[in-house]
Amino acid sequence: MVAATNLKNGVALSLAMAVILVPTVILSLLLRQKLKFPYWLGTPVWTMAAMLLASLSYYVIRFISVEITDSLGIYLYLLASAAVVSAVFTGKRIFTLPAAGAWALRYTGGFTLAALVISAIREVLSYGTLWGFDLPEPLRLAGAQMPFFGFIMFGIFSAGYQWIRRLAAELREAMAPGGPGREEGGGRL
């Protein structure tokens, strides 16, 4: 999220993530489970595929803005390495092509949500604009342009996400039959 200093960059990173991650995860599954590639051989293959897809994603994201490809720089290839790591660490839990595609789409959706929220906040605070349009009463914070601000925003976003997940798990547990707050006879909450 460091490169997501404006909403256009956030959208571009999200599109690139979809272009890179979904095929990489599916290729990983095919190589590991269908073709029985060992990890030592499969990992370099899907790494090269992810890097190739990162290069090809330039042709998708340049329609958002011509300057985006210059401003993203190395972050696009770091995104490709994240896709490779995700493919490796999730491969032990995914056994079918539809499950691999669904997982990659969920992961991309979460990434997109984080990228759009963080990049919109950073653009508003950094430049007083949103998607390049000036806001009527801009609130500027010079430090919002700096990479550390992106890391801080990502940390806050991650903590909020974990808090929501924990709260949802507690609610599911409380609502479950026989959970805390319920009597055995089907009493009230």
Side-chain angles (χ1 to χ4, degrees), residues 2-6 8-9 12-13 58 61 65-76:
V2 175
T5 56
N6 61 51
K8 287 182 181 181
N9 281 4
L13 284 171
Y58 274 121
I61 64 177
S65 172
V66 176
E67 307 88 38
I68 280 183
T69 54
D70 293 334
S71 64
L72 290 179
I74 185 125
Y75 292 108
L76 191 58

Side-chain angles (χ1 to χ4, degrees), residues 29-104:
L29 178 77
L30 286 173
L31 291 177
R32 283 182 291 103
Q33 293 186 356
K34 306 298 183 201
L35 300 176
K36 305 295 184 199
F37 269 51
Y39 272 109
W40 66 269
L41 184 57
T43 303
V45 172
W46 65 70
T47 300
M48 294 305 294
M51 294 302 166
L52 174 66
L53 290 166
S55 295
L56 293 176
S57 72
Y58 274 121
Y59 295 104
V60 174
I61 64 177
R62 70 186 172 114
F63 292 108
I64 297 169
S65 172
V66 176
E67 307 88 38
I68 280 183
T69 54
D70 293 334
S71 64
L72 290 179
I74 185 125
Y75 292 108
L76 191 58
Y77 295 98
L78 289 174
L79 192 66
S81 67
V84 169
V85 170
S86 298
V88 169
F89 286 110
T90 59
K92 296 178 182 167
R93 298 184 315 231
I94 297 173
F95 301 106
T96 65
L97 288 177
W103 179 88

Side-chain angles (χ1 to χ4, degrees), residues 61-166:
I61 64 177
R62 70 186 172 114
F63 292 108
I64 297 169
S65 172
V66 176
E67 307 88 38
I68 280 183
T69 54
D70 293 334
S71 64
L72 290 179
I74 185 125
Y75 292 108
L76 191 58
Y77 295 98
L78 289 174
L79 192 66
S81 67
V84 169
V85 170
S86 298
V88 169
F89 286 110
T90 59
K92 296 178 182 167
R93 298 184 315 231
I94 297 173
F95 301 106
T96 65
L97 288 177
W103 179 88
L105 290 173
R106 281 192 314 272
Y107 188 97
T108 301
F111 179 89
T112 298
L113 177 64
L116 295 181
V117 170
I118 291 170
S119 62
I121 291 170
R122 287 184 75 189
E123 182 176 359
V124 168
L125 293 177
S126 298
Y127 309 108
T129 63
L130 190 61
W131 199 264
F133 296 103
D134 291 330
L135 297 175
E137 293 293 326
L139 171 66
R140 300 254 170 99
L141 182 62
Q145 297 175 10
M146 306 305 275
F148 72 86
F149 193 84
F151 287 121
I152 291 169
M153 290 284 302
F154 183 71
I156 291 169
F157 198 86
S158 296
Y161 174 74
Q162 291 301 322
W163 178 76
I164 290 169
R165 282 187 64 189
R166 187 179 70 238

